[in-house]
Amino acid sequence: ISISKMALAGVRVLELEGLGPGPLAACVLADFGADVVTICRVSNGKVQSQEDPVSRGKRSIAVDLKSPEGLAAVKKMVEKADVFIEPFRPGVVERLGLGPEDLCKLNPRLIYGRMTGFGQGGTKFATMAGHDNNYLALSGTLDFFRRGQDRPHPPANYGADYAGGGMMLAMGVLLSLLERAQSGKGQVIDAAMIDGANYVALPLYKWAQSGFMPVKPDGHMDAEKYILVQASHFCEAYLCKEDPKKPGSQQYMSVQAIEPQFYKVLLKGLNLDKEQGLPAQYDKSAWPWMKARFASIFATKTRDEWAEIFYGTDACAVPVLNYMEAATHPHNVARGSFAPTPGKAGALEPAPAPKLSRTPGSAPRRNPTPGGDTSKVLLDYGFPSAEVKDLLGKGALVEVSQSKL
């Protein structure tokens, strides 16, 4: 499908370059057809780009935002944009003259997305530095990433930055675009990773309230009793026998046979279905020694052997794949879950999701050359060619040769 026929075709997005969740939100919009232009900084005539890895399908311009001419050029572009995304701490863009009050006056239809960790208001946390596990910690969700008596283990920037941050900002943009179709007005999106992280975890909060998630007297999740954090033998990752084809590599099977009917299938695959005297599935006193029993059985076969045994069954037992194996697994190949990475022979990366029947997302496209689309973008935004040439001559804009990819 051509870009012009995708779900977000015709939507113009300006993104102040950053790292992490802001670029991911803009990447999602670009994947589904929006024209996303990343604005990278110019300092002393040189392009200063952070080159975030999730910039596929975007275009890039280089602007000296501290020059009056460069700032004016961005504001002129804002007048024709649908969405503006900024990734900085509160107050930074206001000092640049690109805050929501300034830009929304220029374009009342503008949807202004703000991506921060602790949010635009609240307490001193709003102005503090932080990273993914800090936002999870203050949102109350890092406590859910534990097992047994162990300390919390943050999930590699996945929870707050990308699920609670980037995806929430993308959703906020889409909601605002829908609403604007009715009201004709834009609005400001305060997307905070701390808010998004706990919103994604809403079911866990509800489970804690209902008692499904066991909670200690001090308020912390009781990880030793909670099945969803591998407290039981039927929810665990089991180490398998070493595969001679993969010497030195530890391979695991993921098991989560919560429901009794699925547990029966799991027992059958482990050749325990006819064994007499097994404890009831939810006899918590038996969980530790049943876990040891399961571990000894899984250690008798390789991961791939177990995967074959459980393939096509309802045992809820699946091989733990690394990212390269996942990209070439037959199920993911059949679904088109991964696609080739442009410019990297043999490399694969996640394809856009979800899969729309008529207007699916684009196959992965190249990341832009920082500042490589400056002239073309400004011309597309209606700047006369003489004005573009003048701005380049003054150093307010910089054009970088595409050949530097």
Side-chain angles (χ1 to χ4, degrees), residues 109-130:
R109 290 175 54 83
L110 184 69
I111 294 165
Y112 193 110
R114 313 197 75 173
M115 186 74 260
T116 59
F118 294 114
Q120 294 297 322
T123 64
K124 289 183 180 179
F125 276 101
T127 60
M128 290 166 55

Side-chain angles (χ1 to χ4, degrees), residues 337-358:
S337 300
F338 294 81
T341 298
K344 292 189 177 181
L348 297 166
E349 62 187 70
K355 300 184 184 305
L356 306 183
S357 62
R358 290 190 301 102

